[in-house]
Amino acid sequence: MKIRTGTLSQLKQKGEKFACLTSYDALTAAIFDQAGIEVLLVGDSAGNVVLGYETTVPVTIDQMVHFGKAVTEAVSSSLVVVDMPFGSYEVSSEQALASAIRIMKETGADAVKLEGARPEAVKRIVDAGIPVMGHLGFTPQSVNQLSGFRVQGRGDAAQQLLDDAKELEVAGAFAIVLEMIPASLASDLSSSLKIPTIGIGAGVGCDAQILVWTDFAGLSDRSPKFAKKYLDLRGELSRAAAAYLAEVRGAEFPGEEHSFN
Ligand code: KIV
């Protein structure tokens, strides 16, 4: 069954949590889709994870289209959300709408995501028939303004976050990612909003969770405190590469079973 934005809202109403992962390619997208992960985010974290950039700031719409298309081609059930990269929506609501339309047309995604308290841009895109996911708390595209990777929404900033989330909901966002905020604030937000909250470093009180897939699989060389490793893929790949190297050098591979008569 295809997951739609309405499915996520029904899950919240029933008090059932859902899971999201990032994906940037057809191979992982097919695996996560078949595993029943409800939402796949083609995050601009592709800039760090796949392209080796220090931040997500240099990522372009062309790059997001490339990754987004690969994911949508491989998915049959998961809801696919494509990130709007830095510079594609900040200038005006018109720019935001034009970028969102391009991403939807060229990737076949189900929705777009944008960072920050930008209710006007969200409303403009939603009014054109495109579902929008919000993203508050630590917003990686503003890393330079936020003075690095820091927990957001502590102290007086908590009320601002609650107000921003409410505005995004009123503007028509169908869900909001909450990144690196105190767990108690994320719980308050989750109970005060009708739309689902998707936490990343925001505690267990959110309606859903998201992880960058290379953190979840233990493939990243460094991963944040909030990311649980469900696998040691980096270790497994390193061991496999060392075994392959040794077998090639020792003329043990290819064996009879891998050769043609
Ligand atoms: O780009 C991304 O992967 C994200 C997640 C961290 C939510 O925005």
Side-chain angles (χ1 to χ4, degrees):
M1 188 194 66
K2 177 70 188 169
I3 306 287
R4 305 194 181 278
T5 56
T7 321
L8 306 182
S9 139
Q10 283 162 14
L11 288 172
K12 168 142 185 164
Q13 280 161 26
K14 289 191 275 182
E16 289 176 26
K17 292 186 187 278
F18 57 91
C20 321
L21 281 173
T22 67
S23 176
Y24 320 104
D25 66 284
L27 201 57
T28 56
I31 294 169
F32 301 153
D33 179 62
Q34 280 155 30
I37 301 295
E38 280 92 351
V39 178
L40 295 187
L41 171 67
V42 185
D44 61 352
S45 50
N48 313 103
V49 172
V50 183
L51 302 172
Y53 301 160
E54 276 295 311
T55 72
T56 55
V57 171
V59 176
T60 65
I61 299 193
D62 284 349
Q63 288 168 332
M64 293 312 299
V65 165
H66 172 80
F67 295 123
K69 230 170 166 173
V71 169
T72 60
E73 288 292 335
V75 162
S76 54
S77 297
S78 308
L79 182 100
V80 178
V81 182
V82 173
D83 249 340
M84 298 184 66
F86 178 67
S88 70
Y89 57 91
E90 296 87 343
V91 175
S92 65
S93 299
E94 276 59 44
Q95 185 212 21
L97 177 59
S99 301
I101 289 175
R102 181 173 168 214
I103 288 171
M104 295 297 284
K105 272 186 178 291
E106 295 185 25
T107 64
D110 301 304
V112 295
K113 173 167 85 59
L114 58 81
E115 295 185 4
R118 298 181 187 276
E120 299 83 13
V122 169
K123 184 169 181 336
R124 189 85 170 92
I125 300 170
V126 170
D127 284 350
I130 301 172
V132 181
M133 180 182 277
H135 185 158
L136 295 174
F138 178 72
T139 45
Q141 293 173 10
S142 309
V143 62
N144 296 311
Q145 192 182 45
L146 298 174
S147 308
F149 293 80
R150 288 165 192 269
V151 175
Q152 302 294 310
R154 286 199 167 124
D156 291 347
Q159 188 56 50
Q160 184 63 54
L161 233 154
L162 285 158
D163 294 346
D164 291 346
K166 202 75 212 159
E167 281 196 343
L168 289 183
E169 177 174 81
V170 170
F174 72 90
I176 303 181
V177 169
L178 299 175
E179 182 161 354
M180 280 174 72
I181 65 169
S184 57
L185 174 59
S187 285
D188 289 351
L189 268 158
S190 305
S191 35
S192 67
L193 294 175
K194 292 192 194 70
I195 56 173
T197 57
I198 302 174
I200 175 161
V204 77
C206 295
D207 302 304
Q209 297 293 327
I210 185 162
L211 285 174
V212 169
W213 90 260
T214 49
D215 292 341
F216 130 96
L219 182 58
S220 310
D221 54 351
R222 279 172 297 143
S223 56
K225 164 190 156 93
F226 57 73
K228 178 172 173 183
K229 288 184 191 173
Y230 286 81
L231 185 69
D232 175 26
L233 193 52
R234 195 175 182 86
E236 290 289 310
L237 280 175
S238 301
R239 284 186 284 278
Y244 170 63
L245 179 65
E247 289 195 6
V248 169
R249 286 182 176 167
E252 289 169 64
F253 176 82
E256 282 289 312
E257 68 278 31
H258 308 112
S259 307
F260 300 102
N261 292 318

